[in-house]
Amino acid sequence: RSLLRYIGEEGRPILLSTGASEWGDIDRSVDVLNATGSEFLLMHCTASYPTVDGEINLRVLPELARRYTCPVGFSDHSLGVEIALGAVALGAIVVEKHFTIDRDLPGGDNDISILSEELRTLVEQGTRITAAMGQKERSLTPAEKELQPIMRRSLVAAHSLSAGDVIERRNLIIVRPGTGIEPDAVDKVVGRPLQCEVEAGQVLTWDMLGKMAP
């Protein structure tokens, strides 16, 4: 680990592969890097060429981030780009992938490398997935805020009613849009008199209702 210590003390950012390592190996390496105060990213890696799907263990990615409180990446030796895209969805902010212009070239790892079109797909789809990751908070998006009144439902008159009629449950249906009284308030509506005439299918609002009879 003297090399890690040297690079860390130089203040260089480090992308550290975890290929052929166990948790204890990673623990010791991270301890060295933390002691130097260096900036580093851990690359999940299975050191086999090509890596079969059952040995990739993408679930290690979020566990690396949790254990070491650091950004994570993926050093990918699988065929195609699908596994790398899965890694992006699990939090990898860096992907290392072998690239070639011709898989028939002799020597090296050309036969497991991706071609230019696959690289383009990886970059484009990885960028899209990253944008879609968003945030952990569950809140309405601007588009949802616009659609919410249309998507939700209201209490609606099942048939025509006259002013003074006391609303019964059979007088109500629940349909879109959600611009009137919400369905959860049905118990607060049943038993109230209407203050005006309503037509079948008309959305009910609170100003149409009188007070509940004592």
Side-chain angles (χ1 to χ4, degrees):
R1 289 177 177 78
S2 57
L3 178 59
L4 281 180
R5 184 174 296 106
Y6 173 79
I7 297 174
E9 290 174 348
E10 289 292 308
R12 305 291 179 87
I14 298 171
L15 276 64
L16 179 63
S17 174
T18 60
S21 299
E22 296 182 303
W23 289 120
D25 301 311
I26 302 170
D27 288 344
R28 289 186 287 274
S29 296
V30 168
D31 286 344
V32 170
L33 295 177
N34 282 333
T36 65
S38 60
E39 179 184 1
F40 65 92
L41 178 148
L42 294 177
M43 302 285 289
H44 173 50
C45 174
T46 303
S48 55
Y49 305 80
T51 310
V52 297
D53 292 355
E55 296 181 357
I56 294 171
N57 298 321
L58 286 180
R59 286 192 176 93
V60 170
L61 274 162
E63 181 62 10
L64 279 172
R66 186 194 69 81
R67 283 188 181 223
Y68 303 110
T69 320
C70 68
V72 294
F74 182 48
S75 179
D76 185 21
H77 303 135
S78 67
L79 300 177
V81 299
E82 295 82 2
I83 303 301
L85 292 172
V88 173
L90 285 172
I93 64 171
V94 173
V95 171
E96 179 257 330
K97 190 76 176 169
H98 293 229
F99 173 80
T100 186
I101 58 172
D102 184 353
R103 290 198 184 101
D104 292 327
L105 290 173
D109 50 15
N110 287 293
D111 55 340
I112 70 160
S113 300
I114 58 173
L115 300 170
S116 59
E117 284 303 312
E118 293 173 297
L119 179 60
R120 180 177 290 107
T121 297
L122 177 58
V123 172
E124 291 177 349
Q125 298 305 317
T127 300
R128 185 180 178 191
I129 290 171
T130 299
M133 292 295 288
Q135 57 188 2
K136 293 182 180 179
E137 294 298 323
R138 185 64 185 103
S139 57
L140 293 180
T141 67
E144 285 179 317
K145 289 179 181 178
E146 291 185 12
L147 288 172
Q148 190 184 62
I150 301 172
M151 296 176 64
R152 293 197 172 182
R153 290 165 170 77
S154 301
L155 295 177
V156 174
H159 42 259
S160 297
L161 296 167
S162 301
D165 285 349
V166 176
I167 296 178
E168 301 178 16
R169 183 63 185 85
R170 65 185 179 86
N171 302 140
L172 304 172
I173 56 175
I174 299 172
V175 296
R176 291 174 175 171
T179 54
I181 300 173
E182 61 182 19
D184 287 348
V186 65
D187 292 337
K188 297 179 181 179
V189 172
V190 171
R192 292 194 181 205
L194 278 169
Q195 299 197 107
C196 61
E197 182 179 329
V198 298
E199 299 178 356
Q202 188 170 349
V203 173
L204 298 182
T205 57
W206 289 110
D207 59 359
M208 296 177 178
L209 307 179
K211 293 183 178 180
M212 188 83 68

